Amino acid sequence: MKIDNSLPLEYSTEENRLKILGFWIFLGAEIALFATLFATYFTLVNRTGNGPIGADIFEVTPVLIETILLLTSSFTIGLGINAMRHGSKNAMMVFFIITLALGAGFLGTEIFEFKHYVHIGAGLQVSAFTSILLTLLGTHGAHVTLGLFWGLFIVLQVKKRGLTPETTNKAFIYSLYWHFLDVVWIFIFSFVYLKGMM
Amino acid sequence: MDYFDRFAVPHSSPMIVGSQIAIAVTVLAILVGVTYFKKWGYLWREWFTTVDHKRIGIMYILAALLMLFRGGADAILMRAQTAIPDNGLLDGQHYNEIFTTHGVVMILFMAMPFIIGLMNIVTPLQIGARDVAFPRLNAVSFWLFFWGAMLFNISFVVGGSPDAGWTAYFPLASVEFSESVGMNYYAIAIQIAGIGTLMTGINFIVTILKMRAPGMTLMKMPMFTWSILITNLIIVFAFPVLTVALALMTMDRLFGTNFFTMANGGSDMLWANLFWIWGHPEVYIVILPAFGIYSEIISTFARRNLYGYKSMVVSMVAISVLSFVVWAHHFFTMGHGAMVNGIFSITTMAIAVPTGIKIFNWLFTLWKGKIEFTVPMLYSLAFIPIFTIGGVTGVMLAMASADYQYHNTMFLVAHFHYVLIPGTVFAVLAGFTYWWPKIFNFQLSERIGKWAFWFIVVGFNVTFFPMFITGLDGQARRMYTYSEATGYGPLNLLSFVGALGLLIGFAFLVYNIYWSTRYAPRNVTSDPWNARSLEWATHSPVPEYNFAIVPEVDSSQAFWDSKNNGPALFKGKYKEIHMPNNSGVPFVLGIIFFVWGFAMVFSMWIFAIISTLGIFACMAHRSFEKDHGHHISVEEIEETEKKLRGANA
């Protein structure tokens, strides 16, 4: 394995560079996926049948908590990558664990929010609007859930194997994924919740 | 026993019972045969666990040929049913099922894998790479496609086939109107195969962008590689739309959501839009690689440079962009208004411009060429006029106001078979024949190949040309029978005769594979066609590492130049080569996906949850696995090279 020492560890081998480009392209596909879900949401948002409209069911508090938790986690994972570039394994692990904790907090709040929707009669089957609302939020939530496990695996590997070209590559790609989920959430926050509550 | 009732086929007939028995016997025969000849170990080591792009490509093509005969059987049945008025061979339900599976199988499980198989074998060789960017992911792609296709195919004998057409329009595809599990199979089997295709897309974009031989700039890539790059870009941006559409369909059918329903705000038109936003680019996913194959073959056998390289590239890029802005032309008559219809008419007709440029480029390549009429070249030459008929009738259908006259008739059926068969099917047959000696080190018989060609090309026209006429006379597509008074009888009978001709042609193709495998001479060179691009610069069959020394390139046909006193391709000495390790996980993952899909189709939640956990276990295993591949030593390379003799020995 040829290691190019002029580059950060995560970019240092040919294989690593391929993986990073591949993941960027995967994120392109993810953008197409969420764009389709958003387009479907905008198509169905006013098709509420006998069910509630957005303004009836959205609550500011949990949404704000979710937003703050996820945005902060995007910042802490950035700090984690910065620590990784400086070669301090422990600082990186601490920031990654904080990120995962914030992510878990986000997920917990979202589960609470979902239970609330079902409770007040805005379940998955009620109308086209509730179907796509919960599917859009749920797809994002499923991504976060997967990300929690993925991040946990990476922390375990860094702990055991240290900062190697492989582990830093995984951690860097994971950070791209996590930032992406944050970007999607900003769209959800603006175009689902804010627009819905206005 | 009630539990097992769900697996029964709701509209059983002697034909389905016969197939059930035949499938059971065949599966048993394969299992017993492999065990008897003690081939399990060989299959596992050399094929099931392989990450070699050439072997994966071969498996793709094998599966595609299998599916060609499944889809072909559906087609023959359809033509037989409509051959005479008031025919009772099939009932309406059975006819609905076979035109649905014919469409799905031919597009998604025949054309796509055939193209992806050729692209797997050829692309890394054409760019001078040793494998694709992510060999393990490539194996995952294949096994997801394979097990997805298998899941779709068992619908015929377990639980009932999908029956709402390959476009699965709502509300017809909803639980209310398609009660059997057939449409569940559609939603879930295509989903599994589609995920595999998406990963192929990512894999090949990275491979082509990052792994080209030194000196091969983008504008020096062979045209086939260009077509593959653009195709995969389309895959990456179109397939997520299908993923979402199928997921929403699955939720509507299994969990009672209201996306495409008729009540509670659902919108059936939303399905049509989502389906075709994927579906139209999909058409170009199967046609652009065909254009690439023809470009290679025409330039090889006309013994001339490809005319208009830059305009070929620009026109493909233009087609790929336009492919995303024409989808509504598939349902002009569903009432989205004059303005929308007008815009989509114009974008659709615009596609004829870049396509026309390509047609003229091929003609100018042929102009004053020393044309050699080999089998691949015959398919390419037949393609140009026949495809043009398909294209011109496509422009007729693109005129929204005129489309009201012949939409949903046999005219449409004739049109899209006139583009898909000479476009994609002729191309994969041509590519298959052209690259066969690269893979197996002997050529398919030209004599038998020409018999196959003439039967296929004449049979095709006899089958589909009459449909233009019956379509203009008003014969609706997907109509399982008609009365004698309509007068459609004679031309439909002619179509059936043509279909038999096609059947004979494909039988020749199979016989050719058999005959050539047994009797064809084995002393061909590594460059039997006197071709132009890099895949012909290495040995046949290609060694595991493709190129002992990475070639250096300074034009789009570096191999041709090097044969004609140009600069040498292979400079320097052998070095140790790093190659990826085999793995059984992709195969296992494919099987788990199959179980997951089956459990979802029949709403067996416990199995679905267990297999979901299995899928995540495979992913976790991959995350923790340490796999650094293996190295091929210089001595080993020297030995292999000596044994293979060849271009750079």
Side-chain angles (χ1 to χ4, degrees):
Chain A
M1 188 165 38
K2 259 189 298 190
I3 297 182
D4 184 344
N5 289 317
S6 66
L7 293 167
L9 266 183
E10 70 267 21
Y11 278 99
S12 61
T13 68
E14 179 64 24
E15 197 180 328
N16 280 3
R17 291 191 288 272
L18 293 180
K19 282 181 176 163
I20 291 170
L21 177 65
F23 199 79
W24 275 110
I25 297 169
F26 172 73
L27 287 183
E30 286 273 55
I31 289 172
L33 182 115
F34 277 102
T36 312
L37 283 171
F38 273 107
T40 308
Y41 179 80
F42 295 138
T43 311
L44 299 178
V45 64
N46 293 321
R47 304 179 69 113
T48 50
N50 297 320
I53 62 167
D56 297 340
I57 57 171
F58 293 150
E59 300 250 0
V60 183
T61 323
V63 174
L64 273 181
I65 294 172
E66 282 161 25
T67 308
I68 291 165
L69 289 178
L70 205 63
L71 260 59
T72 316
S73 80
S74 207
F75 179 63
T76 53
I77 202 170
L79 293 176
I81 295 299
N82 189 46
M84 183 179 91
R85 289 245 170 111
H86 285 97
S88 52
K89 176 181 153 188
N90 287 337
M92 177 215 167
M93 280 173 54
V94 168
F95 282 123
F96 264 61
I97 290 165
I98 294 172
T99 305
L100 292 177
L102 291 168
F106 168 87
L107 199 66
T109 320
E110 191 165 50
I111 291 170
F112 166 81
E113 190 196 337
F114 268 43
K115 276 174 81 176
H116 171 71
Y117 289 148
V118 175
H119 185 68
I120 59 168
L124 190 65
Q125 301 166 335
V126 172
S127 71
F129 164 67
T130 61
S131 293
I132 185 59
L133 174 70
L134 297 185
T135 304
L136 174 58
L137 298 178
T139 307
H140 178 265
H143 275 76
V144 174
T145 314
L146 189 89
L148 289 179
F149 285 101
W150 184 8
L152 183 69
F153 294 166
I154 286 169
V155 172
L156 291 175
Q157 286 174 40
V158 170
K159 184 173 188 300
K160 214 168 139 199
R161 299 173 193 169
L163 298 179
T164 66
E166 279 103 36
T167 54
T168 52
N169 185 242
K170 287 179 188 183
F172 181 76
I173 287 172
Y174 175 68
S175 78
L176 294 179
Y177 178 79
W178 199 260
H179 289 309
F180 169 74
L181 293 186
D182 208 36
V183 172
V184 173
W185 182 259
I186 290 169
F187 277 85
I188 290 179
F189 180 74
S190 318
F191 293 103
V192 175
Y193 291 113
L194 283 187
K195 198 162 169 286
M197 279 189 265
M198 271 192 305
Chain B
M1 277 314 277
D2 285 351
Y3 186 80
F4 293 99
D5 283 349
R6 68 180 83 191
F7 300 128
V9 177
H11 297 270
S12 198
S13 71
M15 211 182 291
I16 293 179
V17 176
S19 314
Q20 284 170 328
I21 295 167
I23 289 179
V25 169
T26 313
V27 170
L28 205 67
I30 292 172
L31 293 179
V32 169
V34 174
T35 313
Y36 180 79
F37 292 106
K38 298 197 174 75
K39 290 289 182 195
W40 284 115
Y42 164 79
L43 278 180
W44 178 259
R45 279 190 309 274
E46 303 287 323
W47 296 95
F48 292 173
T49 61
T50 190
V51 294
D52 183 332
H53 69 97
K54 302 173 286 289
R55 285 170 186 256
I56 289 173
I58 291 169
M59 291 194 289
Y60 263 117
I61 292 174
L62 262 175
L65 284 172
L66 227 99
M67 290 296 109
L68 177 70
F69 287 94
R70 162 72 217 267
D74 287 340
I76 287 283
L77 274 174
M78 271 190 279
R79 288 296 105 226
Q81 164 62 24
T82 51
I84 47 171
D86 298 314
N87 196 357
L89 177 67
L90 304 172
D91 58 23
Q93 172 63 26
H94 199 169
Y95 192 79
N96 292 347
E97 291 175 3
I98 59 170
F99 72 64
T100 304
T101 50
H102 170 75
V104 175
V105 166
M106 285 304 204
I107 296 270
L108 286 151
F109 300 134
M110 190 284 285
M112 291 275 293
F114 216 132
I115 295 273
I116 294 178
L118 289 173
M119 125 186 161
N120 258 290
I121 293 170
V122 178
T123 312
L125 294 173
Q126 275 201 336
I127 61 173
R130 292 213 160 109
D131 207 320
V132 293
F134 312 115
R136 175 81 77 94
L137 191 67
N138 203 17
V140 174
S141 290
F142 171 73
W143 290 112
L144 287 191
F145 146 71
F146 180 81
W147 289 107
M150 290 301 114
L151 182 65
F152 188 82
N153 273 277
I154 61 163
S155 68
F156 184 49
V157 289
V158 185
S161 290
D163 54 2
W166 89 282
T167 49
Y169 280 162
F170 278 80
L172 185 59
S174 67
V175 184
E176 203 182 343
F177 297 100
S178 295
E179 287 169 19
S180 81
V181 293
M183 293 314 290
N184 296 354
Y185 272 114
Y186 174 98
I188 288 160
I190 298 177
Q191 185 74 283
I192 294 172
I195 296 169
T197 308
L198 177 61
M199 291 192 276
T200 300
I202 296 170
N203 210 340
F204 277 83
I205 294 175
V206 179
T207 306
I208 296 173
L209 289 182
K210 287 286 223 181
M211 294 173 74
R212 296 189 310 277
M216 187 183 280
T217 56
L218 281 177
M219 291 311 272
K220 284 178 186 159
M221 293 197 304
M223 196 48 63
F224 178 71
T225 300
W226 254 116
S227 73
I228 293 304
L229 175 62
I230 303 208
T231 302
N232 284 297
L233 283 167
I234 303 179
I235 287 179
V236 166
F237 290 101
F239 265 75
V241 183
L242 179 72
T243 306
V244 171
L246 290 174
L248 302 187
M249 177 181 190
T250 310
M251 289 173 67
D252 260 15
R253 291 188 55 90
L254 296 182
F255 308 131
T257 52
N258 281 300
F259 293 108
F260 311 124
T261 53
M262 305 293 281
N264 300 318
S267 164
D268 48 355
M269 279 288 280
L270 178 63
W271 166 265
N273 278 285
L274 290 179
F275 180 85
W276 285 114
I277 288 172
W278 161 78
H280 200 86
E282 164 69 16
V283 179
Y284 291 91
I285 291 169
V286 295
I287 203 73
L288 286 179
F291 290 170
I293 294 170
Y294 290 131
S295 299
E296 298 290 329
I297 290 173
I298 288 175
S299 134
T300 299
F301 294 110
R303 307 283 172 231
R304 296 197 63 209
N305 291 351
L306 187 64
Y307 184 90
Y309 181 97
K310 276 183 195 159
S311 64
M312 281 294 203
V313 174
V314 171
S315 58
M316 274 197 293
V317 174
I319 290 174
S320 73
V321 173
L322 286 171
S323 76
F324 280 94
V325 291
V326 298
W327 77 88
H329 71 213
H330 291 274
F331 43 100
F332 277 145
T333 56
M334 282 197 200
H336 29 46
M339 183 67 179
V340 172
N341 275 2
I343 289 169
F344 279 93
S345 269
I346 291 166
T347 53
T348 305
M349 286 187 248
I351 290 191
V353 177
T355 316
I357 290 173
K358 299 187 78 71
I359 297 273
F360 279 108
N361 281 339
W362 288 313
L363 291 176
F364 286 133
T365 309
L366 292 166
W367 180 253
K368 289 187 177 171
K370 296 191 194 80
I371 298 172
E372 220 179 303
F373 293 94
T374 59
V375 170
M377 189 61 167
L378 284 174
Y379 281 113
S380 311
L381 294 175
F383 149 78
I384 296 175
I386 303 177
F387 184 83
T388 306
I389 298 175
V392 169
T393 50
V395 175
M396 286 171 71
L397 285 156
M399 294 183 275
S401 39
D403 183 61
Y404 276 77
Q405 185 60 36
Y406 35 59
H407 82 101
N408 246 6
T409 64
M410 295 307 276
F411 187 86
L412 170 79
V413 176
H415 153 69
F416 68 70
H417 284 91
Y418 259 82
V419 279
L420 281 173
I421 293 184
T424 305
V425 179
F426 285 12
V428 293
L429 295 180
F432 179 73
T433 318
Y434 180 65
W435 282 303
W436 179 278
K438 183 62 10 199
I439 311 164
F440 297 109
N441 198 30
F442 62 90
Q443 280 168 290
L444 290 171
S445 158
E446 284 282 301
R447 191 173 45 88
I448 306 173
K450 281 175 187 167
W451 277 102
F453 166 78
W454 285 110
F455 268 99
I456 288 173
V457 81
V458 174
F460 163 76
N461 282 292
V462 174
T463 309
F464 292 100
F465 201 83
M467 293 181 190
F468 281 125
I469 301 163
T470 58
L472 288 177
D473 273 348
Q475 187 187 356
R477 71 192 286 213
R478 293 174 172 174
M479 196 166 67
Y480 87 102
T481 193
Y482 52 88
S483 70
E484 200 179 344
T486 56
Y488 302 146
L491 285 174
N492 275 283
L493 187 62
L494 188 60
S495 271
F496 178 57
V497 173
L500 292 178
L502 276 168
L503 183 69
I504 295 169
F506 284 110
F508 270 115
L509 183 81
V510 175
Y511 177 68
N512 195 0
I513 296 172
Y514 165 79
W515 188 90
S516 306
T517 308
R518 287 198 67 163
Y519 305 113
R522 292 300 196 267
N523 55 355
V524 293
T525 67
S526 58
D527 177 28
W529 308 111
N530 193 12
R532 310 171 96 82
S533 45
L534 279 182
E535 73 269 32
W536 305 101
T538 185
H539 314 287
S540 312
V542 184
E544 182 197 356
Y545 47 75
N546 291 357
F547 297 92
I549 298 168
V550 174
E552 280 172 49
V553 172
D554 61 359
S555 83
S556 66
Q557 38 187 358
F559 178 55
W560 179 260
D561 294 345
S562 81
K563 284 192 289 189
N564 295 290
N565 304 321
L569 281 175
F570 302 101
K571 296 166 198 154
K573 282 191 298 207
Y574 296 147
K575 280 184 220 139
E576 201 175 57
I577 297 172
H578 180 220
M579 296 299 291
N581 285 336
N582 284 1
S583 166
V585 179
F587 181 75
V588 174
L589 183 65
I591 292 184
I592 300 176
F593 258 101
F594 177 84
V595 175
W596 173 81
F598 191 79
M600 290 292 285
V601 166
F602 290 97
S603 310
M604 301 186 292
W605 305 123
I606 294 169
F607 290 106
I609 292 167
I610 295 171
S611 41
T612 307
L613 293 176
I615 291 165
F616 287 119
C618 288
M619 291 165 77
H621 171 265
R622 178 58 174 155
S623 176
F624 283 102
E625 186 185 17
K626 276 188 192 166
D627 179 6
H628 299 299
H630 62 277
H631 291 268
I632 301 176
S633 68
V634 174
E635 294 81 54
E636 247 177 287
I637 301 169
E638 273 169 358
E639 207 174 298
T640 320
E641 291 295 305
K642 221 180 280 168
K643 219 163 55 191
L644 285 167
R645 64 178 166 76
N648 59 322

